[in-house]
Amino acid sequence: MTLQMQLVAITLDCPDPLALAAFYQQATGLEPHPKSDADFAGLNGEHGLLIGFQRVDDYRAPSWPDQIVPQQLHICFQIEGGLGEAESRLLELGASKPDHQPHGDKARVLTDPAGHPFCISTL
């Protein structure tokens, strides 16, 4: 018998859930979950998928690409348009760009304001 599971939420640890939710809201256009607060904030995604952000005391940001503090999670986003334009906008919103870029011109690795690495690539 095959187990049927549907992914309904992805939650990232962070020091400030509302701030990290605001970053991803501006980057993706997803709507905030109405019950978001200072301990847990969420964004309502497509097909019922929730992206959540939960407060963790003494949070330590991942140290990607080394694994001194493991990355914990890696999210990939497909974008429309050019990588350079999307990268510039995300950097304006508070993302950072690590020196190590393993994908050449195919994709860019950035880190969100809490240090989680994520990739952007074109459609």
Side-chain angles (χ1 to χ4, degrees):
M1 180 174 165
T2 303
L3 180 63
Q4 297 294 317
M5 298 189 331
Q6 179 182 358
L7 180 63
V8 296
I10 297 171
T11 301
L12 288 80
D13 292 349
C14 64
D16 185 342
L18 292 173
L20 195 55
F23 168 79
Y24 280 104
Q25 179 188 11
Q26 292 174 2
T28 64
L30 297 175
E31 292 296 318
H33 190 279
K35 294 185 179 180
S36 294
D37 62 31
D39 290 320
F40 185 90
L43 297 174
N44 295 318
E46 294 182 31
H47 311 292
L49 180 64
L50 176 87
I51 300 175
F53 311 94
Q54 67 184 3
R55 177 180 303 284
V56 171
D57 293 331
D58 301 321
Y59 172 78
R60 291 179 36 188
S63 57
W64 189 88
D66 69 55
Q67 294 296 307
I68 294 168
V69 179
Q71 66 181 337
Q72 304 152 15
L73 177 73
H74 187 103
I75 301 173
C76 296
F77 295 94
Q78 285 188 327
I79 58 157
E80 295 181 13
L83 284 175
E85 182 179 325
E87 176 187 314
S88 294
R89 177 67 179 134
L90 290 163
L91 293 173
E92 288 173 8
L93 294 174
S96 297
K97 182 179 176 183
D99 291 334
H100 181 64
Q101 293 293 317
H103 305 297
D105 293 337
K106 297 178 187 176
R108 303 273 166 73
V109 178
L110 302 173
T111 56
D112 68 25
H116 303 104
F118 65 96
C119 285
I120 56 172
S121 63
T122 56
L123 296 172

